[in-house]
Amino acid sequence: MNIDPSHPRAISLKIRDQLVWGKKQGLTSTAGLIAHGRGEAFDYLLGEKTQKFAQEAIRAAAAYLLLAKQPILSSNGNSSVLTAKEFIKLCHLLNCKIEVNLFHFTKKRAELIEDYFDKLSPGCVLLSRRNIPVVISNIASCRKVVLREGIGSADVVLVPLEDGDRCQALSRLGKRVITIDLNPISRTAKKAAVTIVDNIVRAMPLLIQEIEDLKRSPKSQLIKITQTYNNKKILSSALQFINNRLVILAKRQI
Ligand code: PTJ
């Protein structure tokens, strides 16, 4: 679709177009388009900008990822289509791997996404056909099958646009879960150690920047950032922000 950059909703239209492209390529699931719609609704409420509570969460996420012994970046059909380049940049910065893990699993789509990453940057993604699968208990979906070398042995997992079950199961296994989710009341948002309530397309470049800024910081400073971070407080701030914004909009009669 040819999107006129002067259209007031050009950015939003471009993101939709990318996902539609992803669907045609077999990368994004049909349900992924619906999930994006839910995200868009929350983004409206957040003013379509990265707010202070998201910046604070991004800083904590950067600290956790830099402190991790074995971080892993988990990608799905939406996140790979919207932010593949950022995933790859992060994987180089942190010297870690990307693992494709799908909710609406088909072997064909998982391999297509893996090949998509592998073509963009060979070696950055763990290929399921060459790695050993392991099963995580207490997950009802196909997301329970992870790779031993990846999520299976990682201590910190970045899982944007996650579903609640796996987030909870990974946390129970002692892994630190960092998510990006526009919905501050999703189960994932509530169960993760760090929830970045922001659009993935804005949050990923900021996360890269924050990691670059913090990567030479002493370990003690990174530890302090993680210890003083409070995810419940961040989610409350996000809800408070939405509430205040709606009150202001209502008073102004939009
Ligand atoms: O590719 P698959 O099969 O793994 O499927 C991916 C989806 C996203 C369809 C799957 O994980 C799913 O069904 O997720 P949920 O449970 O719908 O949750 C997705 C969450 O991401 C929702 O809370 C949305 O508000 C949020 N979301 C959607 N688009 C964005 C987003 N958050 C940040 N940035 C977005 N662009």
Side-chain angles (χ1 to χ4, degrees):
M1 183 181 159
N2 203 3
I3 298 160
D4 184 340
S6 66
H7 189 287
R9 308 273 325 140
I11 296 175
S12 167
L13 290 176
K14 198 172 151 252
I15 297 172
R16 283 186 180 187
D17 210 42
Q18 261 174 282
L19 287 170
V20 170
W21 172 85
K23 168 74 190 122
K24 284 182 188 152
Q25 301 301 309
L27 302 167
T28 311
S29 66
T30 312
L33 303 180
I34 301 169
H36 182 72
R38 185 195 291 169
E40 273 189 341
F42 278 99
D43 211 8
Y44 250 82
L45 300 177
L46 292 163
E48 293 176 302
K49 284 197 184 93
T50 304
Q51 303 297 345
K52 207 168 154 271
F53 47 80
Q55 274 160 1
E56 208 181 309
I58 288 170
R59 194 166 165 78
Y64 271 120
L65 286 165
L66 284 167
L67 284 169
K69 288 193 180 73
Q70 198 182 330
I72 187 88
L73 315 175
S74 176
S75 195
N76 62 25
N78 289 47
S79 57
S80 53
V81 164
L82 293 179
T83 50
K85 285 196 186 116
E86 286 79 7
F87 264 89
I88 287 164
K89 184 95 206 273
L90 267 185
C91 138
H92 291 305
L93 253 180
L94 296 164
N95 192 24
C96 69
K97 299 281 182 195
I98 299 164
E99 175 170 341
V100 175
N101 185 274
L102 303 179
F103 184 70
H104 305 280
F105 178 82
T106 65
K107 191 170 181 286
K108 188 176 168 203
R109 191 160 66 91
E111 289 185 354
L112 269 176
I113 300 174
E114 288 170 0
D115 292 344
Y116 178 59
F117 276 120
D118 204 50
K119 264 193 202 120
L120 288 173
S121 180
C124 72
V125 68
L126 291 173
L127 299 173
S128 49
R129 51 185 175 265
R130 291 205 204 130
N131 281 276
I132 299 165
V134 286
V135 175
I136 298 180
S137 52
N138 294 322
I139 303 184
S141 76
C142 288
R143 287 192 119 171
K144 66 183 169 202
V145 183
V146 301
L147 299 177
R148 192 173 70 183
E149 238 192 88
I151 293 170
S153 45
D155 55 346
V156 177
V157 193
L158 175 71
V159 276
L161 282 65
E162 171 65 327
D163 68 289
D165 273 10
R166 193 171 65 131
C167 180
Q168 205 164 352
L170 292 175
S171 304
R172 267 202 219 108
L173 288 173
K175 299 177 194 292
R176 296 280 173 191
V177 178
I178 300 166
T179 194
I180 304 173
D181 192 334
L182 279 159
N183 177 2
I185 48 175
S186 71
R187 268 185 319 137
T188 305
K190 290 191 262 183
K191 296 291 172 198
V194 179
T195 306
I196 302 168
V197 183
D198 197 11
N199 198 316
I200 190 170
V201 298
R202 292 191 300 269
M204 287 291 272
L206 293 173
L207 180 59
I208 290 167
Q209 187 58 56
E210 194 68 58
I211 290 173
E212 272 167 350
D213 291 349
L214 285 177
K215 79 175 172 215
R216 271 173 282 277
S217 303
K219 202 174 164 189
S220 58
Q221 190 192 335
L222 300 177
I223 293 174
K224 196 168 167 210
I225 294 172
T226 60
Q227 283 175 343
T228 51
Y229 180 79
N230 181 338
N231 205 48
K232 283 201 170 94
K233 202 180 113 227
I234 290 295
L235 295 179
S236 295
S237 303
L239 287 172
Q240 197 63 56
F241 176 88
I242 291 174
N243 185 38
N244 292 346
R245 189 158 184 272
L246 289 177
V247 169
I248 292 167
L249 287 173
K251 276 192 188 144
R252 263 200 251 142
Q253 294 181 333
I254 314 283

